[in-house]
Each structure stands twice: as structure tokens, then as C-alpha cells.
DNA sequence: GATGAATGAGGGTTCATTCAT
DNA sequence: GATGAATGAACCCTCATTCAT
């Protein structure tokens, strides 16, 4: 994938990004099958064939898009976390950063939810995603070792925490005024933290 | 839709059900787009045209299937709940029945997860599904009124509880031996109940 | 074709006629291909299969309908002509009766115009129609023999006269008020008669 | 529609024209419904999808074909008419040129007759065709103003003349030897002209 | 005779992908 | 690299026709 290269001409960068942008919007609203590659190209303002210079197939496009969005979510929510000392504050940092990212990128979070279990996402991509999630599971494992988090399988905690976070985001998308209610958000975080914390 | 009628000849009933069964299996493994109607018909052992005799379009089929599966999940998990007195036991009943249903119908729970946010499911269907979920939200509201459940918006609790339950199911699907470990299941339920229960 | 029989139960008669009526209306407005037999049946108020009791195929239906309508046009326009003596008056009688029939049965004349050259009308049907038109060609031949009509091939005169009549009907359909203008109608007939009459 | 552009690569021009040619032949002999688009493409020597690259639907194809053929008929029959002075000679020129075109393009005239009243031809197309026919109605109006043509509504004269011409063409198609009989053709034209000319 | 569920061949159309320019 | 005309396989859906009741 050329777009991972560091030094690339501006115009090429722009084209790939426009394709990603168009694909994100269209896949989310119309579905994978409901979106012709021709429409993606048209929306992106490039020629039909150009799309296939950057992505071997349509599936290749959605898989790369999925990885890119997942990466972005993790990067955005973990950026600066190393400065924080206590585990609880780290978790709160992650939790609120993730929610912030979701609230400012509703289409992206919706895209993730929609294609998480879709058969278009290959197992190869899933494995890549699994590597990314180690950032989170390592933190959980550390908390277990320090007796701050319950002694429960890491995978289970991760699943439950992630899913619960998604449930919270869903609620905030429908009730965005709550997002600015700090008292509510405080209670909400404790709903999350209480599951993890020991005793 | 004839299959809603009470008295119907066996053979017609069988045909619609065979179509549902084939569609469930194929949509789950190959996706909506990846499954030709011809393959559904062939798998169901009926003619291609027969499918369109019962369902106006392929989308009509998946929407009816989604409703049917959702209904089944709720019915199976709530059957007999009226005999139980305490709220906590009611919640445990629902929780374990739902997990039991999911473990014995892995394809159905996977189908729900996969098509929950898909654009193929119309808003009309979503509204029907929302009516079904009242069984759960009524129970939560009752618990809030009795001061047994936290005073948090019902919608939020429902979202978080549901999503967390899905997280648990995902874990059990990957680690089925845990399902028979009653100690584990006990801890697991408390992870669920602790979020809901007041202090 | 059962509907040609003299003694038939009322209900059967009615069904065939309702099918004819529905087919006439639908074929004219939506075309042969654009009209499913199921819609004809539904419009006629009979079951889908009933149509195929009376007509072996859809083509059989349109061919019989075409013959029926053509027959009706000829019968309606020639009824009572035997009482008239002069050739000119006979022609005027035919001309005005045909126009009258067309104006009171616009759908039928439109149907004839539309399917006259259509490939759905078999050569067999065309031959039947050709037999019907002898009523007219015989009259023309008689006029030629009596030196009242130009000595031009009968077929040509018939073609020209028929087509010109259709041209007139088309005009009257668009401008129906002219139909009640007897001065106009008189001029119009002479446009028709002048081509035929010798000198 | 690219084929309307003046400067176009030969190969594109050829493809559209081959599709038109194939469609004309097949629609005329087998009817609109009786002709699969796949057969049109095959006959034209292009891929099935290519047809839909140039025409949005099958109906779009027949409408464009109808317009093209009508246009050709008018252009062929009016080419050079401006050099002729007298109205009678102009009419004779039009009449004989039209018949000539019809005799050398029997399939095209048959196509026009067959689809003139068909529901596949949209009202939009009919309006376009109506614009073309002004060439003729203007000429008739001019003749009426000069007291050379009967004072009868232009629309009526146009209808009658057109239809009568079609009647003549039909006759000539069945009896082509008459087309070379100049005495016959002379009489034939007078059958046409006598309706129009004043007294 | 009348019905209408069931059929399955067939057709219009779409669209991912290619490739010559 | 970028284009977009061309492709043709594949799919959803229609509908004339059958046949058991």
C-alpha cells in the first residue's frame, strides 16, 4: 500500500485520502454491496480506474479502510497516555479520549460497529487489529498483576469493557447533551471502572 | 405473509421455514451480498421463484428473518420468568437463559450482531425490534422504582447491559469450556449485575 | 374458443368477457409485454389459472382479442347497410358508422392501430382478418365494375381508404368537438370520397 | 449521448451504430419484448454491458432509435427541396423521396409503423418527433395561405396525407413492381395531391 | 370449471475489473 | 501515474404456465 510510504507526492496522497473519505461515508450509509466502486471514485473526484491503482480489489479497499480507522481510534485515544501515572487515571484517560474521538467522528465509530463482524473483513485484517488491541490488553494485564484489576481472563475483561464502551457511545450519540454533563460523565465512567477494579 | 397465520398446511409452513433456515446460515457465513437468492432457494430445496412468492425482495427476506430471530431470542429468554419473584433472580434468569440460547444457537446470535447496524435492516424493522425490547426496559424501570437498580437513564442501562452481555457471549463462544464452569459463570454474572445494582 | 358457442352458462360468459375487457385496457395502455397475465386476471376478477382455461397462451389471448375487436368494428359499421341502395350512400354509411364506433370505443381503435403490425399477431390471425375485410373490398370491386370508383387496384384503394380513415379518426380523437360539426364532417367525407370516385 | 458529438473516434461511432442497426432489425422482426438485449449486443458484435454504456435502459435505446429513424426519414425526403419553386412540385418531391426512402429502407418504415403508437415510445420522444414534423406542416400552411391547398385544419391534412402515404407504401411493399411503373406512380401521386389541392 | 401455489427459464441491468492510451 | 471505455459474468426478479386440489 503506497499510502504507508513516508515520502509521496502530494497529489497521490490526496487521491488515496479522497478515496478513503468517500468510501467511509458511502460504506457506512449504503453498505458495502450498496456502494459501487464507480460511485466511490466519482465522490472522491477521481477516475474509475484510479481506485484500482491503489487497491487491488474493492475488498482490499474496505480492509485497508477498516485498519486505518481502527488505528486512528487507538492512536487518538492513547496519544499522551505515557505521561499519566496511576492506572485508574490511565483508564479514565483512555475511556474519555475514546468517547471524544467517537463523538467527533461518528461516522467512523459507526463504520467500525457495522463492519466488525462482517465477512468482508478478512481474518488477515482481524489479526492486524488484534495486534493493535494489545495496547489495551497489556494495560489490563498490568493492572491484574498490580492487584488493581479483577483476576479474570484478560480477553473477557477486554471484551466486556469494549462492548460496554460501545454501549455508552451509542447512548451518547442519541443523547449528545449528556456528553457535556460532567456529573453524568463521572457516573458513567464509574459504571465502566467498577467492573474492572478489584473489590 | 402467510406464515403468520395460525392454521396453515404443513407443506407451506415447511417451505418458508426452510427458506429462513437457509438464509440464516448463508447470510451469516457469506454475507447478504455474498449470498445469491438462487443459493438460498437451492439450499432450502425450493424453486427460485418460490422465495419471491413469500418475500417481495431479498431485503424483505432478511428483514423478516431479523425480526424472527430477535423475537425468538426474547421469547426463549423470558419464557417462565413470571414464576420468579425477586428482581435479582429475574435478571439472573434472563442473563443465563440468553446465554444458553446464544450458546445453543451460535449462528443466530452471530447473525444478530452482524446485521444489527447494517443498512439492509430498515428503520421499520428497527422500530418493530424496539417494541420487543420493552420487555427488558420495563423490568429495569421496575427495578429503578424499587430502588434496586441505579438511578440512571433506562436507555443507557439497557445499552450497557446488552452490549456487555454480547461481550460475554463472544468470550464464551471462543472459550466454550468456561460455559460449564459454574464458578466462572457465577463471577461473570456478578460482573453484569454489579453495574445495575444500586450500591 | 368456448365464447363463440351459443349456449353457455352466464358465469362462464362473464369471465371470458371480463378477461377480454381487462386485456383490452391493459394491452392498450401498458403494451403486451408490459402486462402480466396475473394483472389481467386480477383486473378481470378471476384467478390466475382461469385465464389459461380459456386461452392456451397469452399470445392466444391477444390474437383472439384482436379478431374479436376487428369483427366488432366491421359488424357495427356494416349493420343495416343492405337497406341502402346507392354506392355513395353506402360508403358514407360505412365511413360515418366506423367513425362513430371509433369515437365511442377509443380504446378499441387504439388497440387495433397499435397491434396491426405487431409481431404478436400471428399470420393465421392476419388471414382471418383478411377474410373480414372482403366486405369492404367486394363493395369497392362492385363500384369499379359500375364505373363509379376509379380503376385502380382494389388492394391499393382499400389501403389508402383505410389509412386515410385512421388519419381522420386520430384527428377527431384529438379534436372531438369537430365530430359534432356537421359541416366539417361533410367536408371530411368528401376528402375521403373524392379519392375513390371516378372523375 | 456521445454519438451526438461531432468529433468522435471512429470506433465509438461504429459501436453505437452497430447497436442501432442490430436493434432496428431485431425489434422489427421479433418485437421489443421478443428481443433480448443480449441478442442485440451479440448481433452488434459488442459486449452486453456496452449497450448499457450508451443507453441507460432498453427503452432508452428504442426511443433513441425511433428518433434517429424519424429524423433520417425527414432529412432524406427534404434534402434539396429548397431548390424547387412550385408547391405542387415540392409536394411531389417530398412524396416521391419519401416513397423512395421507404422502398430502399423497408425495415425502417416498418419499424416506424410498428412503434408509432407503442407504449414504449415515451411522450418525450413523441414531442421531439412533433417538432420534426413542422417541416411538413409549415409547407401545408404556406399552401393554404397561397390558396393552393384546401382550407382545412393543418393537423387534419397532415394526418390524412401521412396516413395515406403509409397506405401507398404498404401497397408498394407488397407489389414492388408497381414502383417502377411510372404511369401507375403518376396516378398514385394524384390520388395524394387531389386531397390537398383546392378544387 | 376454477383456483392459486409453485415453478424455473429467461431477461434487464449492474458493476468490479481490465487495459489501451 | 491516471483515465474511462469496454467487458461479461453474475444476480435479482418477473411471469407465463402447470397442476394438484
Amino acid at each position: 500500500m503506497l499510502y504507508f510510504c513516508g515520502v509521496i507526492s502530494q497529489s497521490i496522497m490526496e487521491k488515496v485520502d479522497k478515496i478513503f473519505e468517500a468510501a467511509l461515508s458511502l460504506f457506512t450509509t449504503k453498505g458495502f454491496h450498496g456502494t459501487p466502486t464507480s460511485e466511490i471514485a466519482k465522490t472522491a473526484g477521481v477516475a474509475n480506474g484510479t481506485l484500482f491503482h491503489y487497491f487491488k480489489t474493492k475488498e482490499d479497499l474496505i480492509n485497508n479502510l477498516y485498519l486505518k480507522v481502527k488505528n486512528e481510534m487507538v492512536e487518538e485515544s492513547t496519544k499522551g497516555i505515557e505521561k499519566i501515572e496511576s492506572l485508574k487515571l490511565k483508564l479514565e484517560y483512555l475511556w474519555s479520549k475514546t468517547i471524544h474521538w467517537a463523538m467527533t467522528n461518528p461516522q467512523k465509530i459507526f463504520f467500525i460497529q457495522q463492519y466488525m463482524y462482517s465477512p468482508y473483513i478478512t481474518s488477515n485484517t482481524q489479526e492486524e487489529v488484534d495486534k493493535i488491541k494489545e495496547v489495551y490488553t497489556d494495560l489490563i494485564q498490568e493492572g491484574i498483576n498490580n492487584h488493581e484489576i479483577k483476576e479474570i481472563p484478560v480477553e473477557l475483561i477486554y471484551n466486556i469493557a469494549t462492548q460496554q464502551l460501545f454501549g455508552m457511545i451509542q447512548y451518547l450519540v442519541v443523547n449528545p447533551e449528556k456528553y457535556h454533563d460532567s456529573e453524568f460523565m463521572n457516573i458513567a465512567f464509574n459504571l465502566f471502572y467498577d467492573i474492572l477494579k478489584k473489590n
Side-chain angles (χ1 to χ4, degrees), chain A residues 4 11 17 23 47 66-67 149 164:
Chain A
F4 282 127
S11 70
D17 280 348
Y66 186 76
L67 261 178
I149 290 183
Q164 196 194 302

Side-chain angles (χ1 to χ4, degrees), chain A residues 11 14-23 26 37-48 50-51:
Chain A
S11 70
E14 272 167 11
K15 282 190 181 173
V16 172
D17 280 348
K18 276 176 182 166
I19 291 170
F20 271 139
E21 195 181 5
L26 291 166
T37 54
S38 61
E39 196 179 353
I40 299 173
K42 204 177 143 193
T43 306
V46 301
N48 212 314
T50 304
L51 196 152

